[in-house]
Amino acid sequence: DAKTTQPTSMDCAEGRAANLPCNHSTISGNEYVYWYRQIHSQGPQYIIHGLKNNETNEMASLIITEDRKSSTLILPHATLRDTAVYYCIVRAGRGGSNYKLTFGKGTLLTVNP
Amino acid sequence: DGGITQSPKYLFRKEGQNVTLSCEQNLNHDAMYWYRQDPGQGLRLIYYSQIVNDFQKGDIAEGYSVSREKKESFPLTVTSAQKNPTAFYLCASSPQGFEQFFGPGTRLTVL
């Protein structure tokens, strides 16, 4: 799986959009970009994933650059409960035999009042 | 309620003792996983199972053992051979090859 690079930490004001970047310059054509988050002392929570197109769900939006070498997770209106470590993960295929998720250290997002 | 349960939430054991961590899911997922997390670090894969009665080693399997006798259950045993067992242990499940859903975790402390 391709390696990802994320900033160690970011701050965001409550009610504002949080934009979390991720670099994955060695991503292959069949690799998806996944985002998870982990609130302190809890299990990780799936947020969103994408291959080429931008994606949006009830939690967030995922913007993937045209060359697919980087992506941005957007939380449109951050709340205090969004304070967590956010992991960007690149994984081959959505089916098949490659199930492994490789978690790095992620980005600690702190939402301030 | 569908979901993944792990028990207990906190576990204390003496050095040299084996300990088994429970993981149960009622999501009808085929695949299950065990991860370990150390303070300030990401998750590392210990073992995973794609189907009942089958499992594979992950990146850090030494000192751990698993079984998958039922689809719903994937217990992890931390043996005395694991040199540094104190950590946060997370279990996850997924439909074949799709998103993984995590349990609340078990924090193991070896005294």
Side-chain angles (χ1 to χ4, degrees), chain A residues 14-27:
Chain A
E14 188 177 18
R16 305 297 293 267
N19 298 285
L20 291 91
C22 180
N23 287 320
H24 31 78
S25 58
T26 61
I27 192 169

Side-chain angles (χ1 to χ4, degrees), chain A residues 34 36 38 40-46 49 87 91 93-105, chain B residues 9 31 33 35 37 40-43 45 48 50 59 88 90 94-100 102-104 107:
Chain A
Y34 282 77
Y36 283 75
Q38 186 177 24
H40 183 63
S41 294
Q42 297 183 22
Q45 177 188 22
Y46 165 79
H49 74 277
Y87 297 99
R91 199 189 90 175
R94 197 165 179 246
S97 61
N98 189 340
Y99 302 92
K100 182 178 171 181
L101 289 175
T102 301
F103 286 79
K105 295 185 179 181
Chain B
K9 187 174 177 66
Y33 314 79
Y35 292 86
Q37 186 174 36
Q41 304 296 314
L43 282 67
L45 183 65
Y48 64 101
Q50 300 174 18
D59 298 322
F88 188 42
L90 289 154
S94 72
Q96 289 287 358
F98 288 78
E99 296 80 40
Q100 294 182 21
F102 285 81
R107 194 167 297 278

Side-chain angles (χ1 to χ4, degrees), chain A:
Chain A
D1 293 334
K3 182 179 176 180
T4 62
T5 304
Q6 299 177 253
T8 302
S9 63
M10 295 182 63
D11 287 316
C12 177
E14 188 177 18
R16 305 297 293 267
N19 298 285
L20 291 91
C22 180
N23 287 320
H24 31 78
S25 58
T26 61
I27 192 169
S28 300
N30 68 338
E31 289 182 318
Y32 286 74
V33 180
Y34 282 77
W35 283 84
Y36 283 75
R37 72 179 183 183
Q38 186 177 24
I39 296 170
H40 183 63
S41 294
Q42 297 183 22
Q45 177 188 22
Y46 165 79
I47 301 173
I48 199 168
H49 74 277
L51 181 62
K52 295 181 181 178
N53 299 322
N54 298 337
E55 302 288 344
T56 296
N57 63 21
E58 65 277 5
M59 290 183 67
S61 295
L62 174 61
I63 309 298
I64 302 174
T65 58
E66 192 168 346
D67 63 8
R68 302 208 324 122
K69 292 184 177 182
S70 65
S71 59
T72 301
L73 179 74
I74 301 172
L75 308 178
H77 305 286
T79 71
L80 299 179
R81 288 176 293 182
D82 291 322
T83 292
V85 176
Y86 287 77
Y87 297 99
C88 170
I89 299 166
V90 170
R91 199 189 90 175
R94 197 165 179 246
S97 61
N98 189 340
Y99 302 92
K100 182 178 171 181
L101 289 175
T102 301
F103 286 79
K105 295 185 179 181
T107 296
L108 173 60
L109 174 69
T110 303
V111 181
N112 300 304

Side-chain angles (χ1 to χ4, degrees), chain B:
Chain B
D1 263 348
I4 303 171
T5 57
Q6 292 185 243
S7 61
K9 187 174 177 66
Y10 298 96
L11 188 56
F12 297 89
R13 280 295 181 268
K14 292 182 179 180
E15 192 171 347
Q17 288 183 332
N18 291 357
V19 60
T20 297
L21 281 59
S22 168
C23 178
E24 304 279 333
Q25 55 98 1
N26 60 5
L27 300 168
N28 200 33
H29 288 168
D30 289 311
M32 297 187 73
Y33 314 79
W34 274 105
Y35 292 86
R36 169 186 172 136
Q37 186 174 36
D38 293 287
Q41 304 296 314
L43 282 67
R44 292 184 290 169
L45 183 65
I46 304 173
Y47 268 98
Y48 64 101
S49 168
Q50 300 174 18
I51 198 168
V52 174
N53 292 323
D54 185 56
F55 49 83
Q56 286 80 40
K57 293 181 178 180
D59 298 322
I60 55 166
E62 186 175 352
Y64 300 97
S65 65
V66 294
S67 63
R68 187 83 188 278
E69 297 177 0
K70 298 186 299 182
K71 188 175 186 178
E72 303 80 20
S73 179
F74 191 41
L76 173 75
T77 297
V78 184
T79 74
S80 57
Q82 169 50 234
K83 299 303 180 189
N84 186 18
T86 294
F88 188 42
Y89 289 88
L90 289 154
C91 178
S93 71
S94 72
Q96 289 287 358
F98 288 78
E99 296 80 40
Q100 294 182 21
F101 298 88
F102 285 81
T106 292
R107 194 167 297 278
L108 173 65
T109 301
V110 174
L111 306 172

